[in-house]
Amino acid sequence: MKYLLYFLLPFALFSCQENAKNDFVNISGTIMNKNSDSLKIYNKTYSKVITVNEDGSFSDTLHLNSPGFYTLYDGGEYARLFLKNGYVLNMSLDTENFDESISFSGLGSEQSNFLSKKVLLEGELLDINIDEHDSISLSNKLTDASNKLVEFVEMHKDLDTMLSNKVSMDIESLIKNYGQYYGDLIKLRENLPEGTISPLFTDYENHAGGTTSLVDLKGKYVYVDVWATWCGPCKQEIPFLKEVEKEFHDKNIHFVSISIDKQDDRDK
């Protein structure tokens, strides 16, 4: 019995060490041309801010509530990650070439590298010049994009099933949303060709609680920005729009942002 206990004790210690090693993500890396002194990694149930050193290096541990999709925000742009406790990741990034440069190495890196490559592929396939497409050719272009995205997922055999299943399910809705977006643009250009008098935008509720109509700005150039609270890229542009507004503050131009949120999202 004594020898059996001696044998079991190291085994138990080894098992505990293995469990301890797997209860967090170890993430480190280097950022060139950093946008801020911190990174934020988060989803709906988790959030962690990581300090970025003066030289752009960082290192920290993430004790995740569950495996899945997380957002990385560097103070300027966003990236999507797939994380699971036990991963050991090293990230490299040059913010001046954000999407093209972000990459990961180490245990679990293939998951987030896949997501980064998918972003680039979607940008390539879905950046459609609607001036060259009618509704029929647009449909063909979107079908081709859908097929290539499905092929791209199937090429990556090393993906976590949670990741591959979610991405595969999202392709259909992604193509549908782009189809509606580009379809609306085609209709807009058909209904409001260049030279058409602008819609009047009558009595739109403004940020101060009153209303504004386009006629109120008669005699000025008007810059119209369309955005929504659910549109991440739209919100990223807000600080830059403020800079442009400041630059032209003494000119005869008025900047207007129009939200296309649903009424249910008004409080946002």
Side-chain angles (χ1 to χ4, degrees):
M1 177 64 73
K2 181 189 300 183
Y3 296 108
L4 178 60
L5 288 175
Y6 285 154
F7 174 76
L8 289 175
L9 182 58
F11 179 78
L13 289 173
F14 178 76
S15 298
C16 291
Q17 290 171 353
E18 284 295 300
N19 290 333
K21 185 177 70 173
N22 292 326
D23 67 352
F24 60 86
V25 173
N26 190 319
I27 185 167
S28 60
T30 304
I31 302 174
M32 295 178 60
N33 305 304
K34 62 177 185 170
N35 285 318
S36 72
D37 294 328
S38 65
L39 290 173
K40 183 178 180 182
I41 296 178
Y42 64 95
N43 64 11
K44 290 182 179 179
T45 63
Y46 178 87
S47 180
K48 178 71 178 284
V49 175
I50 300 173
T51 299
V52 178
N53 300 319
E54 189 64 32
D55 63 357
S57 65
F58 66 92
S59 180
D60 212 328
T61 55
L62 313 174
H63 294 268
L64 304 180
N65 299 323
S66 60
F69 294 90
Y70 291 78
T71 297
L72 178 147
Y73 177 58
D74 79 324
E77 297 193 57
Y78 298 84
R80 203 177 190 198
L81 312 180
F82 184 87
L83 302 176
K84 179 185 289 187
N85 285 332
Y87 282 4
V88 180
L89 299 176
N90 185 268
M91 185 187 84
S92 61
L93 169 66
D94 183 347
T95 64
E96 293 187 354
N97 204 21
F98 190 97
D99 291 334
E100 291 79 9
S101 70
I102 188 168
S103 64
F104 300 85
S105 59
L107 183 62
S109 59
E110 64 277 4
Q111 316 296 329
S112 292
N113 281 332
F114 165 80
L115 289 174
S116 298
K117 293 175 183 176
K118 182 172 114 15
V119 167
L120 295 177
L121 180 60
E122 288 174 354
E124 176 186 332
L125 295 174
L126 296 171
D127 184 13
I128 300 172
N129 185 351
I130 63 168
D131 290 335
E132 301 174 358
H133 294 82
D134 56 24
S135 297
I136 296 176
S137 58
L138 173 63
S139 177
N140 293 336
K141 189 81 172 179
L142 291 172
T143 298
D144 181 61
S146 177
N147 292 337
K148 288 181 178 178
L149 287 171
V150 170
E151 291 174 6
F152 179 71
V153 176
E154 293 175 347
M155 283 170 48
H156 291 76
K157 307 296 184 182
D158 55 355
L159 294 179
D160 187 288
T161 54
M162 180 187 295
L163 170 57
S164 59
N165 290 342
K166 181 67 167 64
V167 169
S168 297
M169 289 174 57
D170 286 349
I171 290 175
E172 182 178 353
S173 60
L174 176 71
I175 297 300
K176 181 179 178 181
N177 289 338
Y178 268 90
Q180 181 175 344
Y181 170 72
Y182 283 123
D184 288 345
L185 286 181
I186 290 174
K187 290 179 182 177
L188 184 64
R189 294 201 173 189
E190 290 174 349
N191 296 330
L192 294 172
E194 184 177 353
T196 302
I197 295 176
S198 171
L200 296 179
F201 300 110
T202 303
D203 290 335
Y204 275 39
E205 182 181 1
N206 61 45
H207 66 93
T211 60
T212 301
S213 303
L214 186 60
V215 69
D216 299 331
L217 307 175
K218 189 174 181 179
K220 297 182 178 182
Y221 292 103
V222 180
Y223 180 109
V224 179
D225 167 55
V226 182
W227 73 290
T229 57
W230 46 261
C231 175
C234 301
K235 292 188 287 186
Q236 289 179 47
E237 291 297 326
I238 291 174
F240 302 104
L241 178 60
K242 290 181 177 179
E243 290 180 11
V244 174
E245 184 174 6
K246 184 177 180 180
E247 180 181 350
F248 287 89
H249 184 71
D250 58 345
K251 307 296 182 182
N252 186 35
I253 184 170
H254 198 88
F255 291 83
V256 177
S257 289
I258 299 178
S259 166
I260 57 171
D261 282 289
K262 296 179 179 178
Q263 186 63 28
D264 291 345
D265 294 327
R266 183 185 182 282
D267 290 343
K268 292 182 181 180

